[in-house]
């Protein structure tokens, strides 16, 4: 995906996406391609989806997650096992910010978490939604992306997991951390590690204390045997039940992509303060 981003930066004003060699699109690719198309348009270019090159099963999935309909392709019955592709424009006023937070909240709670895929208590459900909302808010406020934030997800019944991707095409976490700390020489992987450490934030306002929002998510994915993946510039971070590592990679993407995977197992997850679930019969 990042190589496609690089190629787009080197192309002329019109870019055609050909899917001839594409056999499957995960939600991270859907969110990324949608944002990339909007990036092209923001530069007064034109992004063309060659619908005739898309295989039937791939197209069926793009109908379910609404990507096809958003980009003037064939519309169909949406949702199913999809967490729909959605575009969240960058808010420009405080009123817009409040409205956008409500839109993101509804997306996270109604279309991602409250679908019954993960057996989770109400209070924990809301806490996870709150922390994931912070990822969106930080992308709006810190990434300096003019085109907003893009998201898409998918439930995979056979694999028993649900995924959600959040991506922006702004300046990237390392650029923001280096600017905040006044040190342009901090290693990219060190920037990611700093950003995802509890309590750290590039928010300057003293009345706001907000990091990237992954503290509780880290704890949950470890218990749930899920995974968090973060990609920005030439580094990535992976948090799962066994490890939390940050490493340099041989590619580059200026923005930030966060990919969340939850296991859909038989366990019931709740906060310690929550009562146990009611009787099943």
């Amino acid at each position: 995906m990042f190589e496609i981003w690089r190629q787009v930066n080197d192309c002329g004003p019109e870019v055609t996406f050909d899917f001839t060699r594409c056999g499957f699109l995960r939600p991270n690719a859907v969110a990324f391609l949608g944002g990339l198309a909007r990036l092209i348009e923001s530069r007064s270019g034109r992004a063309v989806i060659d619908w005739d090159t898309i295989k039937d099963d791939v197209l069926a999935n793009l109908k379910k997650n609404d990507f096809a309909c958003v980009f003037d392709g064939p519309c169909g019955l949406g949702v199913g096992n999809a967490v729909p592709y959605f575009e969240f424009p960058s808010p420009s006023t405080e009123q817009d910010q409040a409205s956008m937070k409500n839109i993101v909240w509804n997306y996270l709670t109604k279309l991602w978490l409250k679908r019954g895929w993960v057996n989770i208590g109400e209070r924990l459900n809301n806490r996870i939604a709150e922390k994931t909302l912070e990822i969106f808010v930080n992308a709006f406020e810190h990434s300096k992306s003019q085109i907003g934030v893009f998201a898409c997800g998918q439930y995979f019944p056979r694999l028993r997991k649900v995924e959600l991707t959040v991506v922006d095409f702004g300046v990237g976490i390392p650029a923001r951390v280096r600017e905040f700390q006044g040190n342009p020489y901090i290693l990219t992987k060190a920037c990611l590690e700093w950003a995802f450490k509890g309590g750290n934030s590039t928010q300057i306002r003293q009345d706001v204390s907000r990091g990237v929002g992954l503290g509780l998510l880290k704890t949950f994915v470890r218990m749930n045997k899920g995974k968090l993946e973060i990609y920005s510039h030439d580094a990535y971070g992976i948090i799962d039940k066994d490890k939390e590592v940050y490493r340099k990679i041989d590619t580059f993407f200026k923005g930030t992509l966060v990919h969340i995977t939850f296991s859909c197992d038989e366990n019931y997850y709740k906060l310690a303060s929550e009562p146990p679930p009611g009787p099943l019969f």
Side-chain angles (χ1 to χ4, degrees):
M1 292 189 297
F2 299 158
E3 175 61 21
I4 294 174
W5 172 81
R6 187 194 65 77
Q7 291 178 19
V8 164
N9 287 332
D10 294 336
C11 286
E14 180 170 310
V15 178
T16 298
F17 293 99
D18 186 311
F19 293 79
T20 302
R21 298 172 61 185
C22 176
F24 183 72
L25 278 178
R26 301 185 75 89
N28 54 354
V30 175
F32 192 87
L33 288 174
L36 191 55
R38 298 309 185 200
L39 181 65
I40 295 167
E41 294 171 354
S42 73
R43 298 170 175 173
S44 299
R46 180 168 178 257
V48 179
I49 307 293
D50 190 344
W51 297 105
D52 293 334
T53 65
I54 302 179
K55 295 177 174 60
D56 290 343
D57 53 346
V58 175
L59 182 59
N61 193 50
L62 294 178
K63 289 180 180 179
K64 290 179 181 178
N65 61 34
D66 289 337
F67 180 92
C69 206
V70 169
F71 285 94
D72 299 323
C75 296
L77 296 177
V79 188
N81 288 332
V83 181
Y85 168 79
F86 208 90
E87 302 177 352
F88 302 88
S90 296
S92 56
T93 67
E94 290 188 4
Q95 184 176 1
D96 289 342
Q97 291 173 4
S99 176
M100 184 55 63
K101 286 182 181 179
N102 288 332
I103 293 172
V104 175
W105 178 262
N106 288 332
Y107 179 81
L108 296 175
T109 57
K110 295 180 180 180
L111 297 175
W112 177 41
L113 289 173
K114 289 187 177 179
R115 302 279 293 278
W117 296 324
V118 182
N119 196 14
I120 188 171
E122 184 73 16
R123 295 177 191 171
L124 178 58
N125 183 95
N126 289 338
R127 287 291 303 280
I128 291 174
E130 289 171 1
K131 294 306 177 183
T132 309
L133 174 61
E134 290 179 15
I135 295 174
F136 282 82
V137 172
N138 275 277
F140 289 133
E141 295 183 355
H142 297 176
S143 75
K144 303 179 183 178
S145 172
Q146 300 300 312
I147 60 172
V149 179
F150 305 86
C152 188
Q154 181 75 32
Y155 168 56
F156 299 93
R158 294 180 183 177
L159 299 177
R160 298 180 64 82
K161 66 180 182 180
V162 58
E163 300 178 355
L164 179 71
T165 295
V166 182
V167 60
D168 71 73
F169 290 76
V171 299
I173 290 174
R176 185 61 176 163
V177 171
R178 288 167 181 150
E179 178 186 20
F180 178 77
Q181 296 198 9
N183 183 355
Y185 302 107
I186 305 174
L187 294 177
T188 307
K189 64 179 183 179
C191 291
L192 293 186
E193 187 171 7
W194 183 91
F196 294 120
K197 184 177 181 180
N200 286 344
S201 174
T202 58
Q203 178 61 266
I204 298 176
R205 286 170 51 192
Q206 297 301 313
D207 61 328
V208 177
S209 176
R210 180 175 62 249
V212 176
L214 294 191
L216 182 139
L217 287 174
K218 288 182 184 180
T219 301
F220 182 73
V221 297
R222 285 167 178 154
M223 292 179 58
N224 174 254
K225 298 181 181 179
K227 184 185 294 185
L228 279 169
E229 302 167 72
I230 308 100
Y231 299 85
S232 191
H233 287 204
D234 58 345
Y236 74 95
I238 292 183
I239 300 116
D240 59 23
K241 68 181 182 66
D242 297 318
K243 62 186 178 300
E244 177 175 346
V245 297
Y246 299 89
R247 293 173 179 158
K248 179 178 171 55
I249 53 179
D250 293 330
T251 187
F252 184 89
F253 169 55
K254 186 178 180 181
T256 299
L257 186 149
V258 178
H259 189 70
I260 305 171
T261 303
F262 290 158
S263 296
C264 303
D265 53 28
E266 301 298 328
N267 295 324
Y268 177 75
Y269 300 93
K270 68 180 187 67
L271 295 173
S273 59
E274 287 189 88
L280 299 178
F281 55 86

